[in-house]
Amino acid sequence: MVKNSMVAMILAGGRGTRLNELTEKVAKPAVSFGGKYRIIDYPLSNCANSGINVVGVLTQYESIFLNSYVAQDQRWGLDGRDSGIYVLPPREKNEGFGLYLGTADAITQNIDFIDQMNPQHVLILSGDHIYKMDYSKMLDCHLETKAQATIAVLEVPIEEASRFGIMNVDKNDVIVEFEEKPEKPKSNLASMGIYIFDWPILRKSLIADKKDKNSHHDFGKDIIPGYLNSNKKLQAYRFKGYWKDVGTINSLWEANMDLLNRDSGIDVMDSNWKIFTEDTTLPPHTIGPKAKVKESLLNQGSFIYGEVESSVIFQNVVIEEGASVKDSVISGNVVIKKGAVVKNAIVMESCILTEEKTYGSKSKKNIALITPEDQGVSINE
């Protein structure tokens, strides 16, 4: 049995209902992002860059595409002899078939997988956040403080703290209290949903949680409070970099726009912490003689003949002469016809914008999602 210091388990089964039509057929972690990536590329790349060789990806909702995507572990350099990405959907067992009932239950149902890997520590991650993080530094903190669990936290504006799970800590950043979305928060340390646990202790807690009929089988609602109630040591690990939950159309758009700012902390050009993804075999993008492009990301296979400003353009996009795109995200295989204007919008994949009108929103506070069902939009077959 191979001994691993730490294995990662990525919770990637979420529906992402607030992303509307973007997640009708794919799970939230599989949603496209940043011109060429998928959201799940970020935690997977973080694992690879942090030296974590074994990653389990727990999928559930609309998982066919996501399962096949993450199974190509060579994309992240995790295809070596003692490494790999393991797709872990719910499965039938002796006691029957059951879906994952919560974040903790998803790990509980895969205790046998983790036992097979024989780790000292388990890293629990969400598959739908955008950030760059060296998990080895978080593990160093966990070991140095001799904690039984370590939780990554981020300082947020105090007026926004009621939207998050809040960690109250002592002078040594030992967690003394956890409040789930408190009306009157006592601190601004928000949980990032990133946990490191000593595996033997977590294993016992998960087995006990499984037997508790009143449990939600959730880390935030049950496991973390259970650790506190039993006086286990929980350490806060303060993260200083960029982190964003892209759970809404507006936040997804904002994260894409942040890529255009090299000082945002999520620079995709950073060669020291690469984000790995599927590499499409497409020709370079083309910019026509009358095109105007300003402060934008362009991906392979795109043909730009019109005007593009402050936008993210995916692969195989055609923007015709006389068309204009500003402050928008244009997904793959989209055609924007002459006379069409796109502003403050995310355009779904394979749309053709046919009419000489403005698509999108007047305000950046209310980003529009352009779908094939909208007026003046057809499907690019």
Side-chain angles (χ1 to χ4, degrees), residues 46-111:
N46 287 338
C47 286
N49 289 325
S50 300
I52 297 173
N53 295 322
V54 175
V55 182
V57 180
L58 289 70
T59 63
Q60 182 158 280
Y61 171 77
E62 286 291 355
S63 61
I64 293 176
F65 174 82
L66 182 58
N67 289 350
S68 61
Y69 183 79
V70 301
Q72 303 299 315
D73 46 14
Q74 73 277 2
R75 292 173 181 160
W76 300 275
L78 294 172
D79 56 341
R81 178 180 177 184
D82 295 322
S83 65
I85 297 174
Y86 298 82
V87 181
L88 302 170
R91 64 191 190 278
E92 187 173 5
K93 307 179 184 69
N94 280 336
E95 58 268 31
F97 177 83
L99 295 175
Y100 294 146
L101 302 178
T103 54
D105 180 66
I107 303 299
T108 301
Q109 291 199 41
N110 288 284
I111 284 177

Side-chain angles (χ1 to χ4, degrees), residues 129-323:
H129 297 153
I130 300 296
Y131 64 105
K132 293 182 178 181
M133 183 176 182
D134 187 345
Y135 302 130
S136 68
K137 293 182 179 179
M138 184 175 172
L139 179 59
D140 289 342
C141 172
H142 179 80
L143 295 173
E144 289 168 5
T145 59
K146 298 181 180 179
Q148 292 161 313
T150 298
I151 302 174
V153 296
L154 186 73
E155 294 183 13
V156 298
I158 192 67
E159 61 271 16
E160 297 181 14
S162 59
R163 297 172 42 221
F164 300 91
I166 296 298
M167 302 294 169
N168 300 319
V169 301
D170 67 12
K171 63 180 181 180
N172 297 314
D173 278 345
V174 174
I175 298 169
V176 296
E177 185 182 18
F178 170 72
E179 296 181 287
E180 181 66 27
K181 299 181 179 179
E183 290 185 12
K184 297 181 179 180
K186 299 174 185 176
S187 84
N188 66 338
L189 292 180
S191 170
M192 299 170 63
I194 301 172
Y195 314 107
I196 291 178
F197 292 96
D198 290 348
W199 173 235
I201 299 173
L202 176 62
R203 191 181 191 280
K204 291 179 181 178
S205 297
L206 292 173
I207 291 173
D209 178 78
K210 181 181 179 181
K211 298 175 182 177
D212 184 355
K213 295 181 179 180
N214 296 318
S215 175
H216 299 89
H217 310 297
D218 183 86
F219 278 101
K221 295 177 180 178
D222 304 290
I223 302 300
I224 301 304
Y227 267 54
L228 287 171
N229 292 336
S230 58
N231 295 317
K232 292 182 175 65
K233 185 177 181 180
L234 276 75
Q235 183 72 30
Y237 174 75
R238 293 177 184 253
F239 179 67
K240 300 295 186 181
Y242 181 99
W243 178 86
K244 200 170 192 69
D245 180 352
V246 288
T248 65
I249 296 298
N250 272 41
S251 61
L252 180 63
W253 176 87
E254 289 168 359
N256 274 279
M257 294 299 104
D258 287 341
L259 295 177
L260 304 178
N261 178 5
R262 295 291 290 271
D263 297 324
S264 67
I266 196 66
D267 182 11
V268 294
M269 308 299 178
D270 182 7
S271 60
N272 294 318
W273 200 268
K274 293 182 179 179
I275 302 300
F276 303 101
T277 189
E278 176 184 22
D279 188 21
T280 55
T281 54
L282 292 170
H285 64 264
T286 298
I287 299 177
K290 297 182 180 179
K292 296 180 180 179
V293 180
K294 182 180 179 181
E295 295 178 352
S296 298
L297 288 178
L298 309 179
N299 198 11
Q300 298 159 277
S302 292
F303 295 84
I304 312 299
Y305 300 105
E307 297 183 5
V308 178
E309 181 178 349
S310 300
S311 295
V312 176
I313 310 298
F314 281 74
Q315 72 280 355
N316 282 336
V317 168
V318 177
I319 300 175
E320 293 186 354
E321 185 178 341

